[in-house]
Amino acid sequence: MTRSPAPAAPSSAALSPRDRSVIVLLLISAFVVILNETILSVALPPIMDDLDLAETTAQWLTTGFMLTMAVVIPITGFLMGRFSTRQVFAIAMTTFTAGTLICAVSPAFLPLLLGRIVQASGTAIMMPLLMTTVMNLVPPSRHGQVMGNISIVISVAPALGPTLSGLILSFAPWRFLFVLVLPIAVAALAIGLRRIENVSEADPKPADALSVLLSAVGFGPLVYGLTGISGGGHGGAAEAPSGPPVAALVALAVGVVALALFVLRQLRLQRHERALLDLRTFASRNFAVAVGLMVVMMGSMFGVVVLLPIFLQRVLELSTLSVGLMMLPGGLAMGLLAPFVGRLFDRVGPRPLLLPGLAAVVVGIGIMSRVPEQAWLIVVGHVVMSLGLAFVFTPLMTTAMGSLPRRLYPHGSAIVGTVQQVAGAAGAALMVSVMARVAAGTTAGGATELAGISAGTSAAFTISAVLGLVTVAIALFIRRNPADAGDRPVEAGPAEPEETAAPT
């Protein structure tokens, strides 16, 4: 790889006022949209009561959000190449604001679901935009520090969501969750449109319609299949799992076939710089290893995220507000530690942070796998896991993105976001399935339903801890990017032979 001076980055490690302003505005906007992603997690029961919905129907408010994210994120790499920074920001925040307004005034379920889908479309664009902009503007010697600030957004916003939701629902109807977010979103949009300057210009390159279609038909059904494949046994711990639903298996098969065709299409298009999602990112060893580690880690972590509230509410019989407050210390701990980890990464590189961080994640999940009846011990395990994650997120994302040439930043950030969605759905499906089957076996032996849920949760958390040990082994293959010691990003990688014939 060769390096040349980056036009968007200053020669020194200091950020210009313009660049700092752009990053701060994007951070604030990203915080708002990610906060919204989890704010509905404890609001489903009030929505079900108000709109007279069944649980399976109400669940589409979260499933639909996840499916939309999975469909939209893969095309963000193209959007960031096709449109300028300000245009992409306007698309993301206008879409999110419109979705929030629809949700706030929704009189019934279908308009509310539509609003959530529109919200998710804006959310899916914002995080790749933030990561790509940071990588373009910030010198490699400060990537860790600024990525640490992004980690604050990623960790604190989801942790605050359930807590704020519980507080708001204790004195106001569920629509106020969106009414309170709406003016913040409008303000972020107005200020951003006025002050964000372009750090990348539009490239009038048409989208490949077949790639867009294959992406939607691939990632959407894949996530739907993964989230639905553990549907057997959801009816309760005492109900024996009847196997994966046929619809989920069909969706999974459709998704896998469409994704195989999507990959073949991208391999052909990227020779002409027309790929919707450029897979040459995986030519970077560090990027490939980091993504592999992320798949295992996100799968392990999402299982805990999904099952822990179920255990706390059904077995320990805690209120939604109590559950939200219990999750808050871990999120705040991650946020407070993230800037320190970012600065430390710039000095020592990824491996000295990843290994102890992943080990702490394993210990934290191990504590929670005992599913003790003392709620404070659950909090301790969650905080230990969160502190470990603080040492993982920043080094992992920074190393993955920093190993790429500048022209592949948008595609790299889109791949990272897509992997998080798919791996999270797969991990949640696996852990819920394990919990349901162990719970059914336990109750079949004469135990109570609550004892079955407790045993199933313990088994699922134990598997999560074992997967965590796998991530420790994978982390041994992570190396520090040579560019991270300097002030200039990698500009180019090995070029593929150019062909004159355009693909059809």
Side-chain angles (χ1 to χ4, degrees), residues 454-482:
S454 182
T457 304
S458 177
F461 282 12
T462 300
I463 293 177
S464 290
V466 172
L467 289 175
L469 291 175
V470 175
T471 65
V472 176
I474 297 175
L476 295 173
F477 296 92
I478 295 283
R479 300 287 188 270
R480 186 171 191 176
N481 295 319

Side-chain angles (χ1 to χ4, degrees), residues 12 46 76 150 158 174 177 179-180 182 208 230 281 286 290 293 302 331 364 404 436 461 479 497 502:
S12 69
T76 57
I150 294 179
W174 60 265
L177 296 176
V179 170
L180 295 178
L182 184 58
D208 179 61
S230 59
T281 51
N286 257 359
L293 194 156
F302 264 74
L404 300 176
F461 282 12
R479 300 287 188 270

Side-chain angles (χ1 to χ4, degrees), residues 285-311:
R285 177 180 179 274
N286 257 359
F287 185 86
V289 173
V291 168
L293 194 156
M294 200 175 300
V295 167
V296 181
M297 186 190 73
M298 295 301 292
S300 171
M301 189 183 69
F302 264 74
V304 175
V305 169
V306 169
L307 290 180
L308 188 56
I310 296 175
F311 172 80

Side-chain angles (χ1 to χ4, degrees), residues 340-356:
F340 166 76
V341 173
R343 289 192 294 269
L344 197 58
F345 171 85
D346 290 332
R347 289 163 46 192
V348 302
R351 203 190 305 173
L353 302 177
L354 285 173
L355 294 177

